[in-house]
Every structure is written in structure tokens, then in C-alpha cells.
Amino acid sequence: MRLLADDFWEQHPPRRLLFIKPSALGDVVQALPLARAAKERWPDVTIGWVIAAGLRRVVQLSPWIDEIYEFHRGAGLWSFLKLCRELRSRDFDSVIDLQGLLRTGVMTLSTGSANRIGLQTSREGSSWAYHAMVDQTSRQIPAHARYWKMAEAWGVSTRYTTPSIVVPQSDQQLVESWLESLPRPLIGIQPGTRWVTKSWPVESFAQVAMELAEQTQGSLIILGAPDETQLTGKCSELIGSVNPQVKMIDLGGKSSLPQLASLLSRLNVLVCNDSGPMHLAAEMQTPVTAVFTCTDPVQSGPPGSIHQLISTKLPCRAGYHKHCPMTGDNHLACFRDVTVQQVASAAMKILSSH
């Protein structure tokens, strides 16, 4: 597969540009600045985005995206073909597949676009749908830098220092009402994530939270998705059973994605696993203290020096195993290798600097 020529975009400025990046939350958040960069480079371009139905609210927060196309995973062949037919009817002259899977390759090909571009991380045969791939976008490049290579190819080299997400005023006001009476600093605790192997124990998060609350006299904001309410409830219960006087609210499952973005923007620090909310917090310019067990903080973490990213030192680190390869006493040993004191000290370093 040939690489994209240096002068490609000068020779083929887009009129209608489609990004295909359906999931997951963290990856979509890291890719969203590209819509902003494209509008900066070509103010009159119309930008479309293919997104998983459950993440539609995320791309709606980008005022630089004009058209949104929902992908319903698991909805069957006819639903997928309907999407492909719709994409073909929209007359996109340039398509960028940022996902690089078989299904997104088929979406890319179905557009009939004259300029179909992908990344070097593409797999499952998706590269057959592309005319060219962007150089320096292999898996050796951190995800956030890999996406930004596209903007650099357009001539937009400077990374943004303000969020590429704009939260509606009504959501901002609601979130402010939740937090206005709480003593500062505001310490976010987000113990959930999708992989078992990335899920540092909730008991450890609770201990970190208690340590930070004691040292700062601040407030704890427990965060989680709608399917993580048991987890956030357990975290709150563990904290409250030891220190019933601590200022704390459990917002697990109670905030929409726009409200979560607003919440994260108001925190002084977010303590979390490698997760979508980690990237959303970073995009909202909130420093994170994040635990990395089976993933690599360099490859998968957010950019910037304001964050504290803590990784296990075990030989199996950064193996990206969804199921722990170790057995017996070594099973999920990475959870014990990263200590409560490490994480609490890292979070305090952030809190002490502000």
C-alpha cells in the first residue's frame, strides 16, 4: 500500500470530508480535534463522522462536525447495508478511516469516494479499501500522535491547548449546581473500565480517595457509567464506612456524556484506570492520575506533562491482554504491583502544584 504523498491535500482539497471512527470513547475523544483542524484548514468543508450509536452525544459536542452517521453494532446485515448505502449517497470526495477494521474498510469502500485514506494500524484487510495510508501511523506511534499525523499532513502542526468539545450551557449549569456547595479541591475517582485486566481494584481506589480527602480536606466525586453503579456504590460505601464525615457524592450512572465532560472539566484531578473518561478528562484540560496495568502509558495515555501515569513494572506489562496470562499467585499480580501509596502520592503531586 502506497503512502500518502506530501502534497496530496494541496492537490486534492476536500469539499465533503468523512471521518470513520465509530469507537471507543477514548479513541473518539482523541480523534475529535481532527474535525476542528480540518475546518481550520478548509473553512468551507462539510465534515461528516461515522460514530457508534451509543457515542453520538460525544461527536455532537464538536461544533466543527456537520453531519453524523450512526453505526449500530450488532443490528444485523441490513442495518449495516443501509448505512453503507446512505454513505454512498452523500457524495464524499474524501474519506479517512481512523478505525482500520474490516467493517470500517467496507464503509470506506462503500462511499465510492475518489480519495480513501487510512492509517498504518489498519488490519482485517481494511487497507484494501484505501488509495493510500498516512506515514508514521504504525502501532509504535502513540495513539494521540498517530491521529494528529493527519492534521500535520494538512499543514496544521500546533496541537490545541483548549478543548475540542463544547458543552451546552444548560449542562454546565446543572453540573455547577451539583458541585457548588462542595469544599475544594474537587477530586474525581473513576474506578471503572471495560477490561478486567485494566481494572485496578475498587478497594485500592477507595483507599487512595480517603488518603487524598484526609490530606486536602477536599471533596470526592465518584464517577462511573450507568452499568457501573454497583462499582461506584461499593467505592462510596468503602469510603463512608471508614470516614462518614468525608464530603462525597456518588454520580455513578447519573450524568450524560455532556454532563460528564463538564464534570471532568471542573475537577482538580481525576484518579482513574486507563479508560475513556481518562481521555475525556485530558481533553477537557483536567490532569489525571491514571493506573496502567496491561496497557502502555506511552502508547495509550494522554499527551502532556500535567498528568501522572503509573504503570506496573512486571514483565507482562503493556501486553494488552484482555485476560490475564498469569495463573496461580501471579494472576493479576499487576494490581498488587501498583500500590495505593504510589497512586496517592502521584495525585497529591498534581494537587500540590495547583
Side-chain angles (χ1 to χ4, degrees):
M1 173 59 63
R2 68 185 180 91
L3 296 177
L4 195 70
D6 291 341
D7 64 347
F8 177 85
W9 295 106
E10 290 292 338
Q11 300 297 321
H12 304 88
R15 176 181 56 86
R16 288 182 54 78
L17 173 62
L18 177 67
F19 292 100
I20 300 180
K21 185 62 179 173
S23 62
L25 174 60
D27 294 310
V28 172
V29 168
Q30 291 182 93
L32 274 182
L34 288 180
R36 181 179 179 181
K39 283 284 191 180
E40 180 180 316
R41 179 66 178 82
W42 302 286
D44 295 328
V45 69
T46 297
I47 295 177
W49 197 290
V50 176
I51 189 69
L55 295 177
R56 181 186 178 95
R57 296 296 298 276
V58 179
V59 294
Q60 285 180 322
L61 298 179
S62 171
W64 299 276
I65 295 174
D66 303 295
E67 300 172 0
I68 299 174
Y69 302 92
E70 288 188 8
F71 167 58
H72 295 265
R73 186 174 182 179
L77 179 60
W78 290 114
S79 174
F80 183 74
L81 292 177
K82 181 181 179 182
L83 171 61
C84 290
R85 286 195 298 269
E86 182 179 14
L87 295 178
R88 191 172 189 86
S89 72
R90 297 303 183 179
D91 191 30
F92 289 103
D93 53 81
S94 298
V95 178
I96 300 171
D97 180 8
L98 298 172
Q99 195 87 6
L101 298 176
L102 174 60
R103 59 178 174 267
T104 57
V106 173
M107 293 177 201
T108 301
L109 189 62
S110 73
T111 64
S113 172
N115 302 306
R116 303 190 299 271
I117 313 300
L119 305 183
Q120 291 172 315
T121 50
S122 65
R123 59 191 193 274
E124 299 181 356
S126 57
S127 62
W128 287 100
Y130 312 150
H131 294 110
M133 289 193 288
V134 181
D135 195 14
Q136 299 182 56
T137 57
S138 69
R139 296 203 177 278
Q140 284 67 49
I141 306 297
H144 63 84
R146 193 185 311 147
Y147 298 138
W148 195 249
K149 287 294 180 183
M150 183 62 67
E152 291 177 351
W154 300 333
V156 183
S157 57
T158 303
R159 300 286 290 265
Y160 299 116
T161 57
T162 56
S164 294
I165 284 174
V166 179
V167 179
Q169 191 66 29
S170 58
D171 290 306
Q172 294 189 47
Q173 291 172 347
L174 178 60
V175 168
E176 185 58 36
S177 71
W178 294 344
L179 305 178
E180 60 185 354
S181 65
L182 296 175
R184 271 49 177 176
L186 299 178
I187 301 164
I189 305 293
Q190 201 270 331
T193 189
R194 295 305 180 195
W195 296 8
V196 172
T197 48
K198 291 198 293 185
S199 300
W200 199 53
V202 63
E203 292 83 2
S204 298
F205 275 105
Q207 290 180 56
V208 169
M210 287 184 282
E211 178 72 19
L212 297 178
E214 182 177 346
Q215 290 195 48
T216 66
Q217 300 303 302
S219 302
L220 303 176
I221 318 298
I222 315 300
L223 301 171
D227 60 354
E228 294 172 343
T229 54
Q230 285 189 329
L231 183 69
T232 60
K234 182 176 182 180
C235 188
S236 301
E237 183 180 345
L238 288 167
I239 296 167
S241 65
V242 175
N243 183 0
Q245 304 304 316
V246 70
K247 296 293 184 180
M248 174 177 60
I249 55 173
D250 179 1
L251 293 176
K254 297 175 182 176
S255 62
S256 65
L257 278 169
Q259 291 158 8
L260 176 61
S262 183
L263 273 165
L264 293 171
S265 73
R266 286 165 165 74
L267 299 179
N268 296 96
V269 66
L270 175 69
V271 183
C272 57
N273 291 302
D274 175 13
S275 62
M278 173 191 72
H279 288 293
L280 186 55
E283 178 61 29
M284 302 308 292
Q285 312 302 306
T286 293
V288 305
T289 297
V291 177
F292 287 77
T293 50
C294 68
T295 54
D296 184 350
V298 175
Q299 296 295 323
S300 300
S305 59
I306 66 171
H307 309 297
Q308 293 286 319
L309 309 180
I310 303 158
S311 177
T312 178
K313 303 302 182 186
L314 297 180
C316 56
R317 67 186 183 278
Y320 289 82
H321 299 290
K322 290 188 177 182
H323 303 281
C324 180
M326 311 302 288
T327 59
D329 292 341
N330 291 323
H331 185 64
L332 296 176
C334 54
F335 289 0
R336 299 182 293 277
D337 188 58
V338 175
T339 68
V340 167
Q341 189 55 49
Q342 277 180 288
V343 177
S345 296
M348 276 306 303
K349 185 175 181 179
I350 291 174
L351 291 168
S352 299
S353 66
H354 289 77

